[in-house]
Structure formats: C-alpha cells, structure tokens
Short mmCIF file of all heavy atoms in Angstrom, two decimals:
data_model
loop_
_atom_site.label_atom_id
_atom_site.label_comp_id
_atom_site.label_asym_id
_atom_site.label_seq_id
_atom_site.Cartn_x
_atom_site.Cartn_y
_atom_site.Cartn_z
N ASN A 128 47.44 1.76 -45.47
CA ASN A 128 47.88 1.21 -46.75
C ASN A 128 48.42 2.31 -47.66
O ASN A 128 49.39 2.11 -48.39
CB ASN A 128 46.72 0.47 -47.44
CG ASN A 128 47.19 -0.30 -48.66
OD1 ASN A 128 47.76 -1.37 -48.56
ND2 ASN A 128 46.97 0.28 -49.83
N HIS A 129 47.78 3.48 -47.62
CA HIS A 129 48.27 4.61 -48.43
C HIS A 129 49.67 5.01 -47.96
O HIS A 129 50.55 5.33 -48.79
CB HIS A 129 47.32 5.79 -48.31
CG HIS A 129 47.77 7.00 -49.07
ND1 HIS A 129 47.93 7.01 -50.43
CD2 HIS A 129 48.12 8.25 -48.64
CE1 HIS A 129 48.35 8.20 -50.82
NE2 HIS A 129 48.48 8.97 -49.75
N LEU A 130 49.91 4.99 -46.66
CA LEU A 130 51.24 5.31 -46.14
C LEU A 130 52.26 4.27 -46.58
O LEU A 130 53.41 4.60 -46.87
CB LEU A 130 51.20 5.42 -44.62
CG LEU A 130 50.35 6.58 -44.05
CD1 LEU A 130 50.36 6.54 -42.53
CD2 LEU A 130 50.84 7.92 -44.56
N TRP A 131 51.83 3.01 -46.64
CA TRP A 131 52.73 1.97 -47.18
C TRP A 131 53.08 2.27 -48.64
O TRP A 131 54.23 2.08 -49.06
CB TRP A 131 52.07 0.60 -47.08
CG TRP A 131 51.93 0.07 -45.69
CD1 TRP A 131 52.44 0.61 -44.55
CD2 TRP A 131 51.22 -1.09 -45.30
NE1 TRP A 131 52.10 -0.16 -43.47
CE2 TRP A 131 51.34 -1.22 -43.90
CE3 TRP A 131 50.49 -2.05 -45.99
CZ2 TRP A 131 50.76 -2.26 -43.18
CZ3 TRP A 131 49.91 -3.09 -45.28
CH2 TRP A 131 50.05 -3.19 -43.89
N ALA A 132 52.08 2.72 -49.40
CA ALA A 132 52.32 3.04 -50.81
C ALA A 132 53.32 4.20 -50.94
O ALA A 132 54.17 4.21 -51.83
CB ALA A 132 51.00 3.40 -51.50
N ILE A 133 53.22 5.17 -50.03
CA ILE A 133 54.19 6.27 -50.01
C ILE A 133 55.58 5.73 -49.70
O ILE A 133 56.57 6.12 -50.34
CB ILE A 133 53.77 7.34 -48.98
CG1 ILE A 133 52.51 8.06 -49.45
CG2 ILE A 133 54.91 8.34 -48.75
CD1 ILE A 133 51.93 9.01 -48.42
N SER A 134 55.67 4.83 -48.71
CA SER A 134 56.95 4.23 -48.35
C SER A 134 57.54 3.48 -49.54
O SER A 134 58.75 3.59 -49.83
CB SER A 134 56.78 3.26 -47.18
OG SER A 134 56.33 3.93 -46.02
N GLU A 135 56.70 2.73 -50.23
CA GLU A 135 57.16 1.97 -51.40
C GLU A 135 57.71 2.91 -52.47
O GLU A 135 58.77 2.65 -53.07
CB GLU A 135 56.02 1.14 -51.97
CG GLU A 135 56.41 0.28 -53.16
CD GLU A 135 55.24 -0.53 -53.68
OE1 GLU A 135 54.12 0.01 -53.76
OE2 GLU A 135 55.44 -1.72 -54.02
N LYS A 136 57.02 4.01 -52.71
CA LYS A 136 57.46 4.98 -53.71
C LYS A 136 58.82 5.59 -53.34
O LYS A 136 59.72 5.68 -54.18
CB LYS A 136 56.41 6.08 -53.85
CG LYS A 136 56.73 7.16 -54.88
CD LYS A 136 55.55 8.11 -55.02
CE LYS A 136 55.83 9.21 -56.05
NZ LYS A 136 56.84 10.18 -55.56
N LEU A 137 58.97 5.96 -52.07
CA LEU A 137 60.24 6.53 -51.62
C LEU A 137 61.39 5.53 -51.78
O LEU A 137 62.48 5.88 -52.22
CB LEU A 137 60.13 6.97 -50.16
CG LEU A 137 59.29 8.22 -49.88
CD1 LEU A 137 59.07 8.38 -48.38
CD2 LEU A 137 59.97 9.45 -50.44
N LEU A 138 61.12 4.30 -51.41
CA LEU A 138 62.15 3.26 -51.52
C LEU A 138 62.52 3.00 -52.98
O LEU A 138 63.70 2.93 -53.33
CB LEU A 138 61.66 1.97 -50.85
CG LEU A 138 61.56 2.01 -49.32
CD1 LEU A 138 60.78 0.81 -48.81
CD2 LEU A 138 62.94 2.05 -48.69
N ASN A 139 61.50 2.84 -53.82
CA ASN A 139 61.76 2.54 -55.24
C ASN A 139 62.53 3.67 -55.92
O ASN A 139 63.41 3.41 -56.76
CB ASN A 139 60.44 2.31 -55.97
CG ASN A 139 59.76 1.01 -55.57
OD1 ASN A 139 60.38 0.16 -54.95
ND2 ASN A 139 58.51 0.85 -55.94
N GLU A 140 62.22 4.90 -55.54
CA GLU A 140 62.92 6.03 -56.15
C GLU A 140 64.39 6.08 -55.75
O GLU A 140 65.19 6.75 -56.41
CB GLU A 140 62.23 7.33 -55.73
CG GLU A 140 60.89 7.56 -56.41
CD GLU A 140 60.17 8.80 -55.90
OE1 GLU A 140 60.60 9.36 -54.86
OE2 GLU A 140 59.18 9.21 -56.54
N ASN A 141 64.73 5.34 -54.69
CA ASN A 141 66.11 5.32 -54.22
C ASN A 141 66.74 3.94 -54.34
O ASN A 141 67.67 3.59 -53.61
CB ASN A 141 66.18 5.82 -52.77
CG ASN A 141 65.93 7.31 -52.66
OD1 ASN A 141 66.85 8.10 -52.80
ND2 ASN A 141 64.68 7.69 -52.44
N GLY A 142 66.22 3.15 -55.29
CA GLY A 142 66.83 1.88 -55.64
C GLY A 142 66.63 0.76 -54.63
O GLY A 142 67.40 -0.20 -54.61
N MET A 143 65.59 0.87 -53.80
CA MET A 143 65.32 -0.18 -52.82
C MET A 143 63.92 -0.75 -53.02
O MET A 143 63.08 -0.13 -53.68
CB MET A 143 65.47 0.38 -51.40
CG MET A 143 66.89 0.75 -51.04
SD MET A 143 67.02 1.55 -49.40
CE MET A 143 66.47 3.21 -49.82
N GLU A 144 63.68 -1.93 -52.43
CA GLU A 144 62.38 -2.58 -52.58
C GLU A 144 61.60 -2.53 -51.28
O GLU A 144 62.17 -2.46 -50.18
CB GLU A 144 62.57 -4.03 -53.02
CG GLU A 144 63.21 -4.18 -54.39
CD GLU A 144 63.36 -5.64 -54.80
OE1 GLU A 144 63.08 -6.52 -53.95
OE2 GLU A 144 63.75 -5.89 -55.94
N PHE A 145 60.29 -2.60 -51.42
CA PHE A 145 59.39 -2.55 -50.25
C PHE A 145 59.63 -3.72 -49.30
O PHE A 145 59.39 -3.60 -48.09
CB PHE A 145 57.94 -2.53 -50.74
CG PHE A 145 56.93 -2.31 -49.65
CD1 PHE A 145 56.81 -1.07 -49.02
CD2 PHE A 145 56.08 -3.34 -49.26
CE1 PHE A 145 55.87 -0.87 -48.02
CE2 PHE A 145 55.13 -3.14 -48.25
CZ PHE A 145 55.03 -1.90 -47.64
N ASN A 146 60.10 -4.85 -49.85
CA ASN A 146 60.32 -6.04 -49.02
C ASN A 146 61.25 -5.79 -47.84
O ASN A 146 61.16 -6.48 -46.82
CB ASN A 146 60.91 -7.18 -49.87
CG ASN A 146 59.85 -7.89 -50.68
OD1 ASN A 146 58.66 -7.80 -50.39
ND2 ASN A 146 60.27 -8.59 -51.73
N ILE A 147 62.11 -4.80 -47.95
CA ILE A 147 63.09 -4.56 -46.89
C ILE A 147 62.42 -4.13 -45.58
O ILE A 147 62.97 -4.32 -44.50
CB ILE A 147 64.15 -3.52 -47.33
CG1 ILE A 147 65.37 -3.57 -46.41
CG2 ILE A 147 63.56 -2.12 -47.38
CD1 ILE A 147 66.55 -2.77 -46.93
N ILE A 148 61.22 -3.55 -45.67
CA ILE A 148 60.56 -3.11 -44.43
C ILE A 148 59.40 -4.02 -44.01
O ILE A 148 58.72 -3.75 -43.03
CB ILE A 148 60.06 -1.65 -44.54
CG1 ILE A 148 58.97 -1.52 -45.59
CG2 ILE A 148 61.21 -0.70 -44.79
CD1 ILE A 148 58.31 -0.13 -45.57
N ARG A 149 59.19 -5.13 -44.74
CA ARG A 149 58.12 -6.03 -44.35
C ARG A 149 58.29 -6.59 -42.92
O ARG A 149 57.30 -6.67 -42.18
CB ARG A 149 58.00 -7.19 -45.34
CG ARG A 149 57.42 -6.78 -46.69
CD ARG A 149 57.10 -7.98 -47.57
NE ARG A 149 56.78 -7.57 -48.92
CZ ARG A 149 55.59 -7.12 -49.32
NH1 ARG A 149 54.61 -7.04 -48.44
NH2 ARG A 149 55.40 -6.74 -50.57
N PRO A 150 59.51 -6.98 -42.50
CA PRO A 150 59.66 -7.43 -41.11
C PRO A 150 59.27 -6.36 -40.09
O PRO A 150 58.71 -6.67 -39.03
CB PRO A 150 61.15 -7.77 -41.00
CG PRO A 150 61.55 -8.10 -42.40
CD PRO A 150 60.76 -7.16 -43.26
N LEU A 151 59.53 -5.10 -40.42
CA LEU A 151 59.14 -3.98 -39.56
C LEU A 151 57.62 -3.90 -39.45
O LEU A 151 57.07 -3.72 -38.35
CB LEU A 151 59.70 -2.68 -40.13
CG LEU A 151 59.26 -1.38 -39.45
CD1 LEU A 151 59.79 -1.32 -38.03
CD2 LEU A 151 59.73 -0.18 -40.26
N LEU A 152 56.93 -4.07 -40.57
CA LEU A 152 55.47 -4.00 -40.56
C LEU A 152 54.88 -5.16 -39.77
O LEU A 152 53.92 -4.98 -39.01
CB LEU A 152 54.94 -4.03 -42.00
CG LEU A 152 55.46 -2.95 -42.95
CD1 LEU A 152 54.77 -3.06 -44.30
CD2 LEU A 152 55.29 -1.57 -42.37
N LYS A 153 55.45 -6.34 -39.94
CA LYS A 153 54.95 -7.52 -39.21
C LYS A 153 55.11 -7.34 -37.71
O LYS A 153 54.21 -7.68 -36.93
CB LYS A 153 55.69 -8.78 -39.68
CG LYS A 153 55.34 -9.23 -41.09
CD LYS A 153 56.12 -10.48 -41.48
CE LYS A 153 55.78 -10.92 -42.90
NZ LYS A 153 56.55 -12.12 -43.30
N GLU A 154 56.25 -6.81 -37.28
CA GLU A 154 56.48 -6.61 -35.85
C GLU A 154 55.57 -5.53 -35.29
O GLU A 154 55.08 -5.63 -34.17
CB GLU A 154 57.94 -6.25 -35.59
CG GLU A 154 58.28 -5.93 -34.14
CD GLU A 154 57.97 -7.05 -33.17
OE1 GLU A 154 57.76 -8.21 -33.61
OE2 GLU A 154 57.94 -6.78 -31.95
N THR A 155 55.33 -4.49 -36.08
CA THR A 155 54.42 -3.42 -35.65
C THR A 155 53.03 -3.97 -35.37
O THR A 155 52.40 -3.65 -34.36
CB THR A 155 54.35 -2.32 -36.72
OG1 THR A 155 55.66 -1.80 -36.95
CG2 THR A 155 53.44 -1.19 -36.28
N LEU A 156 52.54 -4.82 -36.28
CA LEU A 156 51.22 -5.42 -36.09
C LEU A 156 51.23 -6.44 -34.96
O LEU A 156 50.30 -6.51 -34.16
CB LEU A 156 50.75 -6.08 -37.39
CG LEU A 156 49.35 -6.70 -37.36
CD1 LEU A 156 48.31 -5.64 -37.02
CD2 LEU A 156 49.04 -7.35 -38.70
N ARG A 157 52.31 -7.23 -34.86
CA ARG A 157 52.39 -8.26 -33.81
C ARG A 157 52.29 -7.65 -32.42
O ARG A 157 51.65 -8.19 -31.53
CB ARG A 157 53.69 -9.04 -33.95
CG ARG A 157 53.79 -10.27 -33.04
CD ARG A 157 55.22 -10.77 -32.92
NE ARG A 157 56.06 -9.80 -32.20
CZ ARG A 157 56.06 -9.70 -30.86
NH1 ARG A 157 55.28 -10.46 -30.12
NH2 ARG A 157 56.85 -8.80 -30.30
N LYS A 158 52.91 -6.49 -32.24
CA LYS A 158 52.90 -5.86 -30.92
C LYS A 158 51.49 -5.51 -30.46
O LYS A 158 51.20 -5.52 -29.27
CB LYS A 158 53.78 -4.60 -30.93
CG LYS A 158 55.26 -4.89 -30.87
CD LYS A 158 56.07 -3.65 -30.51
CE LYS A 158 56.01 -2.60 -31.60
NZ LYS A 158 56.92 -1.46 -31.29
N THR A 159 50.61 -5.21 -31.41
CA THR A 159 49.25 -4.83 -31.03
C THR A 159 48.44 -6.01 -30.51
O THR A 159 47.34 -5.82 -30.00
CB THR A 159 48.50 -4.19 -32.21
OG1 THR A 159 48.34 -5.14 -33.28
CG2 THR A 159 49.24 -2.97 -32.73
N GLU A 160 48.98 -7.23 -30.65
CA GLU A 160 48.31 -8.39 -30.07
C GLU A 160 48.51 -8.45 -28.56
O GLU A 160 47.79 -9.16 -27.85
CB GLU A 160 48.83 -9.68 -30.71
CG GLU A 160 48.56 -9.78 -32.21
CD GLU A 160 49.15 -11.03 -32.82
OE1 GLU A 160 49.76 -11.82 -32.06
OE2 GLU A 160 49.03 -11.22 -34.05
N HIS A 161 49.51 -7.72 -28.07
CA HIS A 161 49.85 -7.79 -26.65
C HIS A 161 49.77 -6.45 -25.93
O HIS A 161 49.84 -6.40 -24.70
CB HIS A 161 51.27 -8.35 -26.49
CG HIS A 161 51.51 -9.62 -27.25
ND1 HIS A 161 50.95 -10.82 -26.87
CD2 HIS A 161 52.21 -9.88 -28.38
CE1 HIS A 161 51.32 -11.77 -27.72
NE2 HIS A 161 52.09 -11.22 -28.65
N MET A 162 49.66 -5.36 -26.68
CA MET A 162 49.58 -4.05 -26.07
C MET A 162 48.78 -3.12 -26.97
O MET A 162 48.58 -3.40 -28.15
CB MET A 162 50.99 -3.49 -25.82
CG MET A 162 51.83 -3.37 -27.08
SD MET A 162 53.62 -3.17 -26.77
CE MET A 162 53.65 -1.76 -25.70
N SER A 163 48.32 -2.01 -26.42
CA SER A 163 47.53 -1.08 -27.22
C SER A 163 48.43 -0.35 -28.21
O SER A 163 49.63 -0.15 -27.95
CB SER A 163 46.86 -0.05 -26.31
OG SER A 163 47.80 0.91 -25.86
N PRO A 164 47.89 0.06 -29.36
CA PRO A 164 48.69 0.82 -30.32
C PRO A 164 49.27 2.09 -29.71
O PRO A 164 50.38 2.50 -30.06
CB PRO A 164 47.69 1.14 -31.43
CG PRO A 164 46.67 0.05 -31.35
CD PRO A 164 46.55 -0.27 -29.89
N PHE A 165 48.54 2.71 -28.81
CA PHE A 165 49.05 3.92 -28.15
C PHE A 165 50.34 3.61 -27.40
O PHE A 165 51.34 4.33 -27.52
CB PHE A 165 47.99 4.48 -27.20
CG PHE A 165 48.39 5.78 -26.55
CD1 PHE A 165 48.07 6.99 -27.13
CD2 PHE A 165 49.11 5.78 -25.36
CE1 PHE A 165 48.45 8.19 -26.54
CE2 PHE A 165 49.49 6.96 -24.76
CZ PHE A 165 49.16 8.18 -25.34
N ASP A 166 50.34 2.53 -26.63
CA ASP A 166 51.52 2.18 -25.84
C ASP A 166 52.65 1.65 -26.71
O ASP A 166 53.82 1.68 -26.30
CB ASP A 166 51.16 1.13 -24.78
CG ASP A 166 50.24 1.68 -23.71
OD1 ASP A 166 50.30 2.90 -23.46
OD2 ASP A 166 49.47 0.90 -23.12
N ALA A 167 52.32 1.17 -27.90
CA ALA A 167 53.33 0.60 -28.79
C ALA A 167 54.02 1.65 -29.66
O ALA A 167 54.95 1.33 -30.39
CB ALA A 167 52.70 -0.46 -29.69
N GLN A 168 53.58 2.90 -29.56
CA GLN A 168 54.13 3.95 -30.42
C GLN A 168 55.63 4.15 -30.21
O GLN A 168 56.09 4.25 -29.08
CB GLN A 168 53.40 5.27 -30.17
CG GLN A 168 53.80 6.39 -31.11
CD GLN A 168 53.29 6.14 -32.52
OE1 GLN A 168 52.10 5.93 -32.72
NE2 GLN A 168 54.19 6.16 -33.49
N THR A 169 56.38 4.18 -31.29
CA THR A 169 57.81 4.49 -31.25
C THR A 169 58.11 5.54 -32.31
O THR A 169 57.20 6.00 -33.00
CB THR A 169 58.67 3.24 -31.53
OG1 THR A 169 58.35 2.74 -32.84
CG2 THR A 169 58.42 2.15 -30.50
N GLY A 170 59.35 5.92 -32.46
CA GLY A 170 59.74 6.83 -33.53
C GLY A 170 60.14 8.21 -33.04
O GLY A 170 60.02 8.53 -31.86
N PRO A 171 60.63 9.04 -33.95
CA PRO A 171 61.15 10.36 -33.57
C PRO A 171 60.09 11.30 -33.00
O PRO A 171 60.41 12.15 -32.17
CB PRO A 171 61.73 10.90 -34.88
CG PRO A 171 61.06 10.13 -35.96
CD PRO A 171 60.80 8.78 -35.39
N ALA A 172 58.83 11.17 -33.43
CA ALA A 172 57.79 12.08 -32.94
C ALA A 172 57.54 11.90 -31.45
O ALA A 172 57.50 12.87 -30.69
CB ALA A 172 56.49 11.87 -33.72
N ILE A 173 57.38 10.64 -30.99
CA ILE A 173 57.11 10.41 -29.57
C ILE A 173 58.33 10.77 -28.72
O ILE A 173 58.20 11.16 -27.56
CB ILE A 173 56.65 8.95 -29.32
CG1 ILE A 173 56.06 8.83 -27.92
CG2 ILE A 173 57.79 7.96 -29.53
CD1 ILE A 173 55.43 7.49 -27.64
N ARG A 174 59.52 10.67 -29.31
CA ARG A 174 60.74 11.05 -28.59
C ARG A 174 61.00 12.56 -28.68
O ARG A 174 61.90 13.07 -28.03
CB ARG A 174 61.96 10.32 -29.19
CG ARG A 174 61.92 8.82 -29.10
CD ARG A 174 63.29 8.21 -29.40
NE ARG A 174 63.82 8.64 -30.70
CZ ARG A 174 63.63 7.97 -31.84
NH1 ARG A 174 62.89 6.86 -31.83
NH2 ARG A 174 64.14 8.41 -32.97
#
C-alpha cells in the first residue's frame, strides 16, 4: 500500500491520476489466484 501511495504521488506530480493504473493492480492480484507471486513476477528487474 505504501508503494501504491508512492505511485500515486509520482502520477499526481506529473498531472495524472492513480486510476490509470488500477487495471494493472487488478491484473497483478488476479494472477496470484492461478500462480505463485514468484512465478508471476514481471518488469525490468527480472529481465
């Protein structure tokens, strides 16, 4: 949740709203219903 708050702050400071990433958050959580969080990891760090 603290990381979400950081994301919201970054977005607001650049004229955007947190709502734009809500579908991303929903899909991130949805994936954990079918696979482990470890296997669901994406992003520049894992690559």
Side-chain angles (χ1 to χ4, degrees):
N128 189 78
H129 178 62
L130 295 178
W131 289 353
I133 291 173
S134 297
E135 182 180 42
K136 180 175 180 289
L137 287 170
L138 290 167
N139 290 346
E140 287 175 348
N141 288 274
M143 293 175 281
E144 296 181 353
F145 187 70
N146 280 341
I147 196 169
I148 65 171
R149 288 190 190 278
L151 174 65
L152 304 184
K153 290 180 181 179
E154 176 59 15
T155 302
L156 183 59
R157 188 196 67 80
K158 283 195 294 186
T159 64
E160 297 177 1
H161 309 288
M162 59 197 305
S163 75
F165 184 91
D166 292 333
Q168 186 70 54
T169 61
I173 194 173
R174 298 194 304 268

